[in-house]
Amino acid sequence: MLPQKIDRYEIKAELGRGGMAAVYKAIDPRFKREVAIKILPAAFMHDAMFRARFEREAQTIASLEFPGIVPVYDYGDENGQTYLVMRYMPGGSLADLLKQGPLPIDEVKRIFERLTSALDYVHSKGIIHRDLKPANILFDLHGNAYLSDFGIVHLADASIALTGDALIGTPSYMSPEQARGDGDIDHRSDIYALGAILFEMLSGRLPYEATTPMGIAMKHLIEPVPRILAVKADLPAACEDLIARAMAKERDKRFQTASEMAHALEAIAVQAGASPSKTLTPAAAPEVIPATSKP
Ligand code: ATP
Ligand code: MG
């Protein structure tokens, strides 16, 4: 069942499957390194819409260069099968990590710092991720977080919607304007998704649950922002305002940049770390590089 090779890449194992493709671990014999390959199922190879979506993904990621973004190495076509070669991320996904439960606030802060600066960078290029979720946040060996899967990104100024009016993205983290199918989505939909991800990282629970995707989407549209302290009472009280702002139904009321949200989280984490009941972590101490140390 496992394809043995695609072009020069030797397929070793399946890493997972998503909405449109399978991802394999492979070896690139030229560099003798492990890579991850996303292959479009053969059944889709004649489907112009899926092909276009895949090609767009390849080109978009290739244009992004930033520490918190999974780098793309190659992209190609073999016998009508399209594939994307990217860095293999041995640390698994945030979705895997969250299966063990919520994360300590200092850890959340550390992951967020990296993701939010990458996201600000992406947004500054006019790109919206549109499908931020824990499965699309991957880790390297050192526990550094990376954004991946710009599969449904669109340039903010492009009016071509490859997927038409279909419900795309994962409703669990979907902004109300995406759930409504508004045509003028902007980067603040990603801020909302980040708010929903933060809710899950801190509490171990999704902000809204329902038995169907439609039910979840409806809750994002109409239900008030859930109170995180009702789920996890020992969190700093300020977390509630932070989530309420990130997940505000009206995007004008949200944080306007991802870093703004990270700063608010950092302030809470430092405050929590400074309280006598908890140990002060090195992350809470500012890193000061003396000017004289420069050559
Ligand atoms: P969607 O299609 O909505 O993005 P998804 O993110 O779960 O859903 P894929 O992007 O196809 O689907 O990825 C499937 C799985 O493969 C991911 O959940 C992840 O665990 C794994 N994966 C993806 N990219 C890599 C990578 N570069 N390195 C290691 N594992 C990866
Ligand atoms: Mg993915």
Side-chain angles (χ1 to χ4, degrees), residues 6-7 9 37-39 54 75-77 81-85:
I6 189 152
D7 279 342
Y9 303 98
I37 303 195
K38 191 171 213 179
I39 302 180
F54 191 90
Y75 154 63
D77 241 305
Q81 268 207 318
T82 312
Y83 65 89
L84 176 79
V85 186

Side-chain angles (χ1 to χ4, degrees), residues 38 133 135-136 148-149:
K38 191 171 213 179
K133 57 179 178 176
N136 285 339
S148 85
D149 235 327

Side-chain angles (χ1 to χ4, degrees), residues 15-16 18-19 21 23 36 38 86-87 89 131 133 136 138 149:
L15 290 167
V23 180
K38 191 171 213 179
M86 58 189 143
R87 182 187 290 173
M89 303 299 295
D131 192 24
K133 57 179 178 176
N136 285 339
L138 304 172
D149 235 327

Side-chain angles (χ1 to χ4, degrees), residues 94 98 101-103 108 111-112 196-204:
L94 179 62
L98 289 175
L103 302 173
V108 177
I111 294 172
F112 251 66
I197 294 169
L198 181 64
F199 187 98
E200 190 179 2
M201 289 170 90
L202 290 172
S203 72

Side-chain angles (χ1 to χ4, degrees), residues 45-187:
M45 76 187 186
H46 298 302
D47 186 322
M49 190 184 86
F50 277 95
R51 251 184 110 86
R53 189 175 150 185
F54 191 90
E55 281 176 21
R56 217 174 153 79
E57 173 172 2
Q59 287 158 4
T60 304
I61 313 174
S63 76
L64 301 174
E65 281 234 27
F66 207 79
I69 294 171
V70 176
V72 68
Y73 295 148
D74 195 8
Y75 154 63
D77 241 305
E78 193 190 46
N79 302 327
Q81 268 207 318
T82 312
Y83 65 89
L84 176 79
V85 186
M86 58 189 143
R87 182 187 290 173
Y88 168 59
M89 303 299 295
S93 72
L94 179 62
D96 300 329
L97 189 62
L98 289 175
K99 283 181 193 139
Q100 297 159 30
L103 302 173
I105 195 161
D106 272 337
E107 181 68 1
V108 177
K109 183 197 84 142
R110 190 184 64 81
I111 294 172
F112 251 66
E113 269 169 7
R114 213 177 135 91
L115 294 181
T116 53
S117 55
L119 206 55
D120 275 352
Y121 162 77
V122 167
H123 290 162
S124 76
K125 298 194 91 176
I127 293 164
I128 313 164
H129 188 291
R130 283 181 187 241
D131 192 24
L132 286 178
K133 57 179 178 176
N136 285 339
I137 295 168
L138 304 172
F139 294 97
D140 66 14
L141 263 187
H142 312 289
N144 294 311
Y146 295 69
L147 297 173
S148 85
D149 235 327
F150 290 76
I152 51 173
V153 294
H154 303 259
L155 291 171
D157 58 359
S159 52
I160 335 127
L162 293 171
T163 40
D165 288 332
L167 184 70
I168 52 168
T170 308
S172 295
Y173 310 93
M174 184 181 272
S175 68
E177 61 272 18
Q178 281 174 292
R180 261 197 311 270
D182 286 1
D184 67 332
I185 300 301
D186 66 23
H187 69 283

